[in-house]
Amino acid sequence: MLDILGNLVTGVPMTLFLTFGALLVGVILGIPICMARRSHHPVLSNLAAAVIVAIRSIPPLVWLFLIYFGLGSGILRLSPLVAALGGLGLITAVNMAEIYRGSLAAIHAGQWEASQALGLPRWSRLVEIIGPQVARISLPAVATYAIGLLKDTAVASIIGVPELAFKGTYLSQQTFKGLEIFAAVGFLYIAMSLPIAWVSRLVDARIRQRVAQ
Amino acid sequence: MNETSATDIRPLVLVEGLRKSFGSHEVLKGIDLSVQRGEIVAIIGPSGSGKSTLLRCVNQLETHTAGTVTVAGVTIGPDSASHDRELQKLRRNVGMVFQSFNLFPHLNVLRNVSIAQQRVLGRSQAEADERSMQLLTRVGLADKAKQYPARCSGGQQQRIAIARALALDPQIMLFDEPTSALDPELGLEVLAVMRELAEGGMTMIVVTHEMHFAEDVSNRVLIMADGEIIEQGPSREVMQKPQTERARQFLSAVRDR
C-alpha cells in the first residue's frame, strides 16, 4: 500500500502545476477581459459579455474535449498538458474578469475622482490606485476559486494529463483497490486545499489589519 | 505657467454661461462667475441647488453642457470635446478637497501626499517626501506619516487630503463641503487649517454649510438655488442683509437650526 501511495503522490506536482498555471493565466488574462467588458464601446463590451457567458456555460470537461480533440484534430497539435492549461486558464480568465468587475463596483467613486482631480496619468490611476484596491477586494474570491480550480484540474485526467486523478485511475485499474486509492486521492486533494485557504486567510487578515475602514 | 505673476489682473477662474444637465434635468442654468487671485468665495444654498456640481465643473470632474470654464488661462468647452491633455493642464492648477476625503486606503499617509507629486510634477521620491513632510507638519500631522488613513480620525484624514492637494502647488483650491462628513469638533480642526490657508493668500472656492466660515473667512458669498446664483456680494452684506426673498428664506432656515 505504501508504494501505491508513493506512486500516487507523483501526481501531486502536476495537479499543483495545472492549478497554479491556469490560475496565473486566468489572473492575467482576466484583466483585459474585464476591461473589455467595462468598455464604453458597445461592440467590445457586448462581445466580452458574450464570450464570458459562452465560456462559463460550457462545462470544463467539454472545453477540454473541444480543445484537445476538436482543435487538436488537424488544426493545432496540442499536448494534453497545453490543452488542459489553455482550457482551464481560459475558464479561469472569464471568472476572474467577473470577480474583478464586482470588485471594481465596490470601489468608491471618490477614489477615481480623487485620482483624476490630482491629475494622475491613466496608467498610474489603474496600476497604482485602483488596481491594488481591486486586488485586495478580489483576494478572498480568487482564493475560493483557486480551491475549486484545484479540484477541477481532475478533468485533465480524461485527456491523459498525468496528474493526481489520472494516477489514481491508473493505479486502481492496476491493483483493483479502488476504495483505498481514491480515498487517498481525496485525502491528497484536502491536503492541498488547506494551505491555499490558510495562506489566503493570512494575507487577507494582514491587509485588512492595515487598511481596514 | 508664467501667467502666475501677482500683477495679473485677469480672473484666475472665469465661468461663463455654464449649463449642466443630467438627462432632461438641468442642474446649472447659466452660471457666470469670476474669481480673482487671492479671493475666497463661499458658495452656500439648499441641497440640490447645484453648488457641488458647479464646483466639480471647475476642475471638470463633471463635464458641462454649455458655456466655458477657464482656469489660469486654460479654457474648457462643453461636453469634454477637450483632450485629456487640456484637462490635465487645467487640473494641474486646481487642488480639490472632497466631502468624503477620498484618501487612498492602500497607501500610507506619506505616499498619499507624495504620489501625485512624483507622477504629475515629476519630482523624485526624496523631493516629494520632503515636501510632503513639510505640508504634513503644517497641518499638524507629521507623526502620522507612516500610518494608513484608516488609522486616522475623519478630521485628520481631511487635513491629510488638504496636504495632498497642496502638494501640487495649485493656484486655487476647491473645497466640496469639507466638514459635512465630520463631527462638529473635528470639523473645527479642518476649518482652522482652511482659515490658515486663506490667511496665506490661497485662492479658494468653498462649497459649505458652515455659515460662520462663509461670513468670517470668505470675501464673497454666493447663494445658489435651483441651478442659479440668486445672490452674491461681500460676505457680511450678503449674510446679514440679503436682498432677495429666496436668500432670506434660506439664511433664516439655516440659522434657526
Side-chain angles (χ1 to χ4, degrees), chain B residues 148-255:
Chain B
Y148 283 83
R151 291 287 176 85
C152 301
S153 73
Q156 291 170 337
Q157 290 194 45
Q158 194 61 298
R159 282 145 67 198
I160 294 160
I162 294 173
R164 178 175 72 173
L166 288 173
L168 298 176
D169 305 322
Q171 299 194 36
I172 180 168
M173 287 281 284
L174 309 178
F175 292 86
D176 189 5
E177 302 194 22
T179 57
S180 298
L182 298 172
D183 293 338
E185 211 182 336
L186 298 178
L188 284 178
E189 62 186 54
V190 172
L191 288 171
V193 169
M194 291 170 64
R195 210 176 273 259
E196 215 182 284
L197 259 184
E199 282 158 11
M202 176 60 76
T203 312
M204 297 160 63
I205 304 180
V206 185
V207 169
T208 186
H209 293 295
E210 303 276 352
M211 295 302 142
H212 287 293
F213 183 89
E215 188 162 343
D216 302 341
V217 184
S218 66
N219 317 118
R220 182 148 54 111
V221 170
L222 257 64
I223 305 183
M224 286 185 71
D226 303 321
E228 288 170 309
I229 298 174
I230 55 168
E231 186 144 347
Q232 65 172 312
S235 307
R236 237 150 253 175
E237 239 166 71
V238 171
M239 299 297 284
Q240 282 166 11
K241 296 195 278 299
Q243 300 298 307
T244 61
E245 183 51 37
R246 185 77 183 81
R248 264 195 292 277
Q249 266 176 20
F250 170 71
L251 286 173
S252 76
V254 289
R255 290 221 161 98

Side-chain angles (χ1 to χ4, degrees), chain B residues 4-74:
Chain B
T4 62
S5 69
T7 53
D8 195 341
I9 53 152
R10 281 176 302 169
L12 182 57
V13 174
L14 185 62
V15 173
E16 290 179 303
L18 186 76
R19 289 177 178 275
K20 168 72 181 177
S21 300
F22 290 110
S24 62
H25 179 53
E26 190 166 49
V27 286
L28 295 177
K29 301 171 179 166
I31 302 280
D32 294 298
L33 168 67
S34 93
V35 179
Q36 297 295 328
R37 225 165 263 289
E39 231 186 336
I40 294 145
V41 176
I43 305 179
I44 60 176
S47 329
S49 59
K51 357 181 246 305
S52 286
T53 307
L54 170 59
L55 195 73
R56 291 159 59 87
C57 281
V58 171
N59 73 344
Q60 291 290 299
L61 282 184
E62 298 286 357
T63 59
H64 50 280
T65 325
T68 59
V69 172
T70 306
V71 181
V74 182

Side-chain angles (χ1 to χ4, degrees), chain A residues 5-211:
Chain A
L5 199 67
N7 217 327
L8 263 186
V9 169
T10 59
V12 166
M14 183 54 89
T15 291
L16 290 174
F17 178 77
L18 264 180
T19 304
F20 289 103
L23 193 64
L24 188 69
V25 169
V27 161
I28 293 168
L29 206 61
I31 296 170
I33 297 176
C34 177
M35 287 171 85
R37 178 72 183 84
R38 283 180 44 100
S39 160
H40 293 300
H41 203 297
V43 175
L44 199 57
S45 67
N46 283 322
L47 185 72
V51 167
I52 290 170
V53 169
I55 294 183
R56 291 227 285 190
S57 307
I58 297 173
L61 177 66
V62 177
W63 268 114
L64 291 201
F65 280 167
L66 258 174
I67 292 173
Y68 186 64
F69 297 117
L71 281 182
S73 63
I75 305 173
L76 275 169
R77 290 286 334 142
L78 294 174
S79 73
L81 179 58
V82 171
L85 264 181
L88 292 171
L90 211 60
I91 294 165
T92 304
V94 297
N95 283 296
M96 289 298 127
E98 290 296 89
I99 291 173
Y100 299 157
R101 198 159 67 98
S103 304
L104 271 169
I107 288 176
H108 192 273
Q111 292 292 309
W112 291 96
E113 292 179 353
S115 54
Q116 275 177 298
L118 287 168
L120 288 174
R122 201 179 140 76
W123 72 262
S124 163
R125 281 200 310 252
L126 292 177
V127 175
E128 297 184 301
I129 304 299
I130 303 300
Q133 299 188 56
V134 169
R136 173 169 72 82
I137 299 171
S138 301
L139 181 69
V142 173
T144 305
Y145 187 87
I147 292 170
L149 179 62
L150 175 81
K151 294 177 288 179
D152 283 348
T153 56
V155 301
S157 63
I158 301 287
I159 57 171
V161 178
E163 43 66 76
L164 183 54
F166 180 88
K167 298 273 183 188
T169 310
Y170 177 76
L171 286 171
S172 74
Q173 284 164 353
Q174 295 270 301
T175 59
F176 301 104
K177 289 182 178 163
L179 181 64
E180 293 92 327
I181 287 172
F182 282 111
V185 166
F187 172 78
L188 285 171
Y189 276 112
I190 294 176
M192 287 186 283
S193 301
L194 289 179
I196 299 179
W198 183 70
V199 167
S200 120
R201 231 170 292 147
L202 198 76
V203 173
D204 193 47
R206 190 169 272 192
I207 300 173
R208 214 170 277 279
Q209 181 188 24
R210 220 171 56 176
V211 300

